Structure formats: structure tokens, C-alpha cells
Amino acid sequence: MTSGTNQSEARFDFVVVANRLPVDRYTTAEGEPGWRTSPGGLVTALTPVMERLGGAWVGWAGADTEGISPFTHNGTRIVPVPLSAEEVESYYEGFSNDTLWPLYHDVIAPPTYHREWWDSYVKVNRRFAEAAAETANERATVWVHDYQLQLVPGMLRELRPDLTIGFFNHIPFPAYGLFSQLPWRTQIIEGLLGADVIGFQRVADASNFTRAVRRLVGYETKGTSVYVPLESDSSPGQTGGYRRGGPTRHVLAKHFPISIDSASFEALARTPEVQARAAEIRSDLGGSGKILFGVDRLDYTKGIRHRLKAYGELLADGRIDPADVTLIQVASPSRERVETYRQLRDEIELTVGRINGDFGQIGHSAVHYLHHGYPREEMVALYLASDVMLVTALRDGMNLVAKEYVATRFDQDGVLVLSEFAGASDDLTQALLINPHDIEGLKDTIMTAINMPQPERAKRMKSMRKKVRENDVERWSTAFLAELERSAAARLDEARGHRVGAEQQ
């Protein structure tokens, strides 16, 4: 619902705030600029929510999009936030992806700390908060997403205390021993506590957050509740800068594991075109052999190097024959201007070349390595064509690829090898769970997957499919928004109680 007559000044009852907008700019066949829905995971997850609730989406439109005015796309109001080239480098590539990302993923790669990057992060977060404040109706609900915008909830609460604010962290939240390395750790915690509901992928992530709250700002926590003081007190003997026993604002910090639109993936898998493409893929690879499949963003957290190492050793040990087993590895481009990612690509492509050089045959590669993205139809065909899905993440908030694979396998076939360090392992317990650091264990599990009898494959897949259907993306969004509604209702009741008390006095 909107109010006002000027579209550029329209305000909405529901606003999503994310680093990127749900649309990408492209050029039509006629040479005209146009917009199309982005294929990103967050967009896929929130599209059903936006279709149901309407509203606005605040975010960056991407490079070379300066001066774009708000517009409507598929019923959603698109509100672009401009970023300069220097801000993309410092706020996004720098602080978000070279400081926070490695820190929050168990320091698999060393984080880099630069004060100039932090200054840019603060500046850009404020710009996002101001855009959201200008877009939101009175007493609207604003849902902020992910690690790039952790200061927005606090800033938004200062600008618009009437709003109900949610924040969802799509990546892991680190243990305090790691998080405490961040020079700006307290500012991050205070920024997040501007929200009414803070969502995490796993129970451990929420617990890590509440422990950081206790250690850094000293606020009271109880289970999933954090009590944020409303009155400060810097008098002697007081700790934490607030008056103990005074009024507080209740913040819920809880796990809400994200999922996928499982019904749409299954429907796509059942189409004759996708099934024909899956058969074509198998035929192109020999028809009768086993196909192992990995699809990841090219990122050091995904365990691609560990996967290739285990596969290469299985070939070298003679436990699998390259004439009978093929690995397809899709590694979509990611953050290619960040040096760590450029080095990772070089290392992976060198490893692939070595494996193919040692074990490939004329007309048959041991590894089919593809460094580009694919449309959803092709991905679903690859899921259907594959006998074993390899998800070997070293650390992952959820990993929706694992759930997509399960959703497409209406034939009750296929085996999922899944890292215990991915959030999806909490639900998909009938997958073959592995520790990707244990290369020998990973090799043995791959062999178990390849040789698993059909009845056991069907039993495991049936159980996992039931979980994915029950816990789909609609249930995730409904659960989170329901908590936001409860928070809004509680604050309204409290305000009414204060008014009644004042009138009685």
C-alpha cells in the first residue's frame, strides 16, 4: 500500500533493504536499456514475499547506473542507492568482502583491516538507511538483509523510531574469539541491535551473537531475547553506559533457516524440455557412467580445492576409472577484482588442468570445469543428470544448492554428499555428511555415494525431500515476518499502556 500522489515520493508499508536490487540492467535487441529480474539467491528467496506483500526494494543498481530514478518492476517499487567507484572498492570489495566475509567464515582467508574501508562502510550504510527512511510509510515494516548493511538497523531506528525493523544475516555469525578481532566490533553489535528481530541461519549463529552482546555492551540476554536499555547512565559505579533496572526494548535474536521455493524447482524438473536436456547431458558424457556434480560461486569458503583433491586422489589410487566416472564442476565468477579470488581461480584451474592431464582420455575429460553461470533450467537439468551432488563447503550459512538438488529429484534418486559445516546439514540429515578437511573421509564417502544401492538412495532422498517441502522459503519468510508483527503489536500495546498511565496520573 502506498500513500501520496507523486510516484517518486511514494511511501510503502513494506520495504526490503539489501546491498543489491532484485533487477539487473541489460540492453535489448533494439539497443534500448531494460531491466530484468536478477538470478541471485536472495532475490529468488524474497520474490514470493514481494509478490504477496508488494512494497519497495532499496539497493544498489550495479555499475554504470548513476542517476537512475525510482521505478516499478513486476509490481515492486525499485529504489536505487548510488555508489561511486571508490565506494564499491572500499565499502563492498574492501570492508564487506575482504574484512567481514573472511572473518565471518572462520578466517579461512585472513581478513584485512583498513580504517578507510570502515569509514566508507559507515557512510554507505547511512545512505541506505536514509533511503529506507524516505521510502517507508509511518509504522511500516523494514526488512534489512545481510552483512553489508549491519549498521542500517541502528541508523534507521534513530531516523525513524516508529518503524518495525528486521535484520537477517545470510552468512554465519562468528564465535566471539573470532569476532573480537574486529576493531569496530562494538559498533557492529550496536548497529544490529537497532532491529526488533535479528535472524540467523543456525542456532549457533544466534548464540554467538548474544554472547558478543554480553561481552561487548553488557546487555542482559535470556535465551533468544536481548534487552536493550532505553536510558543511559554514565554515573560512577555503572557499567555498560546504561542504567540497570531501567526500561528496555526487547530484541529477538533467533535462527530462521532460509530455504527455497521447492515446488517451483520440482515443477521445472518435471517439464519435458528439462528432462530431455538431462538425458542429453548424460548421453554426451557416455550415457552409462557415474556423474559427480559440484556447483558453487568461485569462493574459498566452498571447499572446491578439497573436492578436487579428493577426486584426484581417487583417480590416482585407482579406486575410480575416469572412463566410468566424470566430475562436472561449475564455478560461477565471483568478486574477480579481489586479489584472493583471482588467486583462487588460478589455483583451481591449475588443479583441473593437472587432473585432466594425468587422467583424461581422448574424447573424455576427467573433470569438466565451467567458469560461468547458467540459467535455472540448465542447472535443474544438471541436477537431474547427476548421480552424486558434492557440497563440500568449509563454512556456509545455509547452501541452497543442496536443497535445490533435493527439490528437483522427484525420481527419488541421486545421492547428496553434504558438509556438516553448511547450515543445510541441520535439516538434511539423510545426506552423507562429511568433514571436508578430512580428505580420506571425503574420498570414502564419495565411494559410498557412487556405490550406494538404489533402495537406500530412494529412502534417503524421500526423507530429505519431505524436509525441503515442509521447510520451504514461504515458511521461512512467514515465520520471520510473524515475529516482526508480534514485535510491532507489543510495542503498540506498550505505547498505549504508557498513554493510559499518563492520563491516569
Side-chain angles (χ1 to χ4, degrees):
M1 181 181 297
T2 68
S3 64
T5 57
N6 189 332
Q7 277 292 311
S8 65
E9 299 175 356
R11 291 178 177 259
F12 297 82
D13 294 329
F14 181 67
V15 179
V16 167
V17 186
N19 178 65
R20 286 301 301 266
L21 288 169
V23 292
D24 293 325
R25 201 174 193 187
Y26 75 106
T27 302
T28 66
E30 294 75 27
E32 296 295 324
W35 296 90
R36 58 189 169 201
T37 301
S38 167
L42 176 61
V43 176
T44 303
L46 289 181
T47 293
V49 181
M50 299 305 293
E51 289 176 348
R52 186 173 74 250
L53 298 178
W57 189 307
V58 175
W60 178 48
D64 301 322
T65 55
E66 290 292 320
I68 301 296
S69 299
F71 62 95
T72 300
H73 178 82
N74 291 344
T76 297
R77 187 67 172 166
I78 303 298
V79 182
V81 175
L83 296 181
S84 69
E86 186 279 328
E87 288 168 339
V88 172
E89 183 178 347
S90 56
Y91 145 77
Y92 180 69
E93 295 173 353
F95 194 81
S96 294
N97 291 320
D98 210 11
T99 301
L100 293 176
W101 180 270
L103 180 68
Y104 281 34
H105 286 87
D106 291 355
V107 195
I108 296 169
T112 304
Y113 303 112
H114 288 307
R115 285 168 290 181
E116 313 86 67
W117 289 0
W118 166 253
D119 292 341
S120 182
Y121 186 81
V122 174
K123 180 180 177 182
V124 172
N125 270 243
R126 184 163 300 282
R127 190 177 305 150
F128 273 81
E130 290 170 350
E134 293 171 1
T135 306
N137 236 338
E138 190 173 350
R139 292 194 296 274
T141 294
V142 179
W143 195 358
V144 185
H145 287 267
D146 226 359
Y147 64 103
Q148 303 97 339
L149 302 176
Q150 293 175 101
L151 302 180
V152 169
M155 294 172 171
L156 195 54
R157 184 157 299 283
E158 290 180 1
L159 292 168
R160 293 285 305 276
D162 60 297
L163 299 176
T164 299
I165 305 169
F167 180 90
F168 187 79
N169 197 57
H170 291 258
I171 68 173
F173 194 89
Y176 182 74
L178 295 177
F179 183 71
S180 62
Q181 296 178 23
L182 185 67
W184 308 278
R185 56 197 185 182
T186 302
Q187 293 95 313
I188 293 289
I189 292 298
E190 290 173 340
L192 290 171
L193 287 173
D196 297 289
V197 178
I198 309 171
F200 300 92
Q201 299 281 25
R202 310 181 82 171
V203 173
D205 298 324
S207 298
N208 288 342
F209 172 76
T210 53
R211 182 169 186 240
V213 169
R214 293 193 298 272
R215 293 290 298 272
L216 293 173
V217 294
Y219 297 166
E220 179 187 358
T221 69
K222 185 176 182 181
T224 59
S225 296
V226 179
Y227 298 94
V228 179
L230 296 177
E231 297 178 0
S232 63
D233 189 342
S234 57
S235 59
Q238 295 293 335
T239 60
Y242 66 92
R243 184 168 67 83
R244 294 185 181 277
T248 60
R249 179 174 60 84
H250 176 252
V251 175
L252 180 69
K254 181 181 176 182
H255 77 294
F256 297 86
I258 197 172
S259 193
I260 61 171
D261 183 1
S262 58
S264 70
F265 275 93
E266 179 171 341
L268 190 56
R270 289 182 179 273
T271 61
E273 296 82 4
V274 168
Q275 293 183 44
R277 176 58 184 148
E280 182 182 12
I281 291 170
R282 291 202 64 90
S283 176
D284 289 346
L285 294 175
S288 59
K290 294 285 187 177
I291 298 175
L292 313 183
F293 183 40
V295 54
D296 311 88
R297 208 164 38 77
L298 188 59
D299 193 288
Y300 48 78
T301 65
K302 301 300 183 181
I304 302 173
R305 290 175 290 197
H306 298 64
R307 184 182 314 161
L308 290 172
K309 183 175 180 62
Y311 180 68
E313 289 188 10
L314 286 173
L315 290 167
D317 297 343
R319 296 175 69 179
I320 57 176
D321 187 333
D324 299 327
V325 178
T326 299
L327 170 62
I328 301 174
Q329 176 61 57
V330 174
S332 57
S334 173
R335 301 167 188 164
E336 296 190 303
R337 289 173 46 171
V338 179
E339 180 60 27
T340 307
Y341 288 80
R342 289 199 294 265
Q343 293 175 1
L344 175 66
R345 178 180 179 180
D346 290 345
E347 183 180 344
I348 287 175
E349 292 181 354
L350 184 66
T351 302
V352 169
R354 185 178 294 122
I355 292 173
N356 281 332
D358 290 343
F359 304 105
Q361 302 169 359
I362 293 176
H364 185 89
S365 297
V367 181
H368 290 265
Y369 173 76
L370 307 160
H371 180 60
H372 49 83
Y374 283 99
R376 182 185 288 196
E377 292 79 6
E378 183 73 0
M379 291 307 307
V380 171
L382 284 163
Y383 290 147
L384 283 175
S386 304
D387 299 286
V388 179
M389 184 78 207
L390 299 176
V391 177
T392 57
L394 307 181
R395 192 78 164 94
D396 215 336
M398 180 52 60
N399 194 284
L400 297 180
V401 162
K403 296 188 175 185
E404 290 173 5
Y405 180 70
V406 170
T408 62
R409 297 311 298 250
F410 66 90
D411 56 357
Q412 311 288 11
D413 208 349
V415 182
L416 175 62
V417 175
L418 177 60
S419 169
E420 63 190 65
F421 304 123
S425 65
D426 291 347
D427 267 352
L428 304 181
T429 56
Q430 287 301 302
L432 297 182
L433 300 180
I434 51 100
N435 173 0
H437 299 283
D438 177 9
I439 300 299
E440 287 299 328
L442 176 54
K443 289 160 60 178
D444 290 342
T445 303
I446 291 174
M447 293 306 302
T448 298
I450 290 173
N451 297 315
M452 184 179 290
Q454 197 283 328
E456 184 178 354
R457 298 199 304 265
K459 179 181 178 182
R460 288 175 176 269
M461 188 56 71
K462 182 178 180 181
S463 173
M464 290 189 290
R465 284 177 54 75
K466 183 173 185 290
K467 284 278 191 179
V468 170
R469 283 196 303 269
E470 290 175 349
N471 300 319
D472 65 0
V473 69
E474 184 174 356
R475 181 170 179 175
W476 164 76
S477 61
T478 299
F480 192 96
L481 293 173
E483 291 292 356
L484 276 179
E485 288 180 10
R486 277 191 279 272
S487 176
R491 287 199 297 124
L492 188 59
D493 288 344
E494 184 179 355
R496 287 169 178 163
H498 288 324
R499 284 199 299 272
V500 170
E503 290 171 358
Q504 289 177 345
Q505 291 177 1

